[in-house]
Amino acid sequence: MHTYTSASTISVSPGRTPKWRIVAGAIYSNRRIQAQLRAGNAEGHSGATHRDWTTDQSLAYIDTVFQEYLEYGGLSIDGLRGKSILEIGPGDNLGVALTFLAAGAHRVVCLDKCHAVRDAEKERDIYLALRRTLSAEQCANYDRAIQLNSGIELAPDRLCCKFGVGVEDADLHLSDERFDLILSRAVLMEVQEIERGLEAMHRLLKPGGCM
């Protein structure tokens, strides 16, 4: 049995943007993205977190997200070994997924309804810098997932990305896969049909899986 707890709070201080404007803006943004996806264009600025950051800022963010997944998910490094993971909404950087793989996860699939605009050279610099923070064993795991000799080359059996797919349809596009762990951060408020999204993720969990 899986229990889902969802809490969404919008607090506004005096003089700040009214709640209705925030909600209306989120609805407009979601509908614009949906129309864009229906037109076959998955590229956009949603999730473009790292493009204006320094490499050090990106590394700090990646580590923070990874550590918070461990803390709030009650996960341990040893418990990640051999696991299959689905990350919902990686944005413009696969650093968190690569950190899980370096820690011993077997495979990570990254799914995002948008393909966030990115700077490929800067993205590669972040991955190279991330690799320099790893132990020898972690580097070996890392190198099985990604090659950075010239550009960015992913090993699809270890790290796979699916863009232009909303979480509501995740199980349709990943019908042959099941995951030990499903992760998301700052994503679910962007999901238009949240019940469908949760049900799709539930179907993709292995028995005893965690979300």
Side-chain angles (χ1 to χ4, degrees):
M1 177 179 177
H2 303 278
T3 302
Y4 307 115
T5 302
S6 177
S8 178
T9 304
I10 299 175
S11 59
V12 181
S13 301
R16 300 279 180 87
T17 305
K19 289 182 184 180
W20 71 266
R21 285 186 183 273
I22 297 172
V23 174
I27 292 171
Y28 170 78
S29 175
N30 237 321
R31 289 184 175 173
R32 177 178 55 78
I33 291 171
Q34 290 297 327
Q36 183 178 317
L37 292 175
R38 285 195 295 271
N41 179 17
E43 187 167 88
H45 292 280
S46 178
T49 303
H50 295 263
R51 59 182 179 163
D52 297 323
W53 287 356
T54 66
T55 299
D56 285 345
Q57 286 175 316
S58 290
L59 292 181
Y61 178 80
I62 289 165
D63 183 63
T64 295
V65 174
F66 178 70
Q67 295 299 332
E68 288 184 352
Y69 276 141
L70 296 182
E71 179 183 355
Y72 296 118
L75 306 171
S76 68
I77 295 293
D78 287 342
L80 297 176
R81 296 186 186 280
K83 300 299 186 187
S84 179
I85 299 172
L86 174 62
E87 183 185 5
I88 307 293
D92 63 343
N93 192 276
L94 304 177
V96 174
L98 286 164
T99 303
F100 273 101
L101 289 163
H106 173 69
R107 173 171 162 82
V108 179
V109 174
C110 295
L111 182 139
D112 207 318
K113 67 180 177 182
C114 289
H115 186 275
V117 174
R118 64 195 68 204
D119 180 334
E121 185 176 346
K122 184 173 185 179
E123 186 182 4
R124 180 172 178 269
D125 287 343
I126 293 169
Y127 299 155
L128 287 168
L130 177 59
R131 188 183 185 281
R132 289 193 290 271
T133 69
L134 304 176
S135 68
E137 180 184 356
Q138 290 170 337
C139 279
N141 293 334
Y142 195 85
D143 293 343
R144 282 193 282 269
I146 189 169
Q147 290 297 316
L148 300 165
N149 297 325
S150 58
I152 300 170
E153 183 179 351
L154 305 182
D157 62 325
R158 295 284 183 172
L159 180 55
C160 173
C161 297
K162 291 186 178 291
F163 296 110
V165 179
V167 66
E168 301 96 324
D169 299 316
D171 56 331
L172 302 178
H173 290 263
L174 298 168
S175 57
D176 295 332
E177 303 218 40
R178 293 296 179 269
F179 299 92
D180 299 292
L181 185 60
I182 299 180
L183 307 166
S184 70
R185 178 187 176 99
V187 172
L188 296 186
M189 75 285 193
E190 301 284 355
V191 178
Q192 281 194 321
E193 299 179 70
I194 188 63
E195 288 188 5
R196 273 190 63 209
L198 290 170
E199 288 168 357
M201 288 189 284
H202 188 187
R203 284 191 288 270
L204 287 169
L205 277 178
K206 291 180 180 178
C210 179
M211 186 169 110

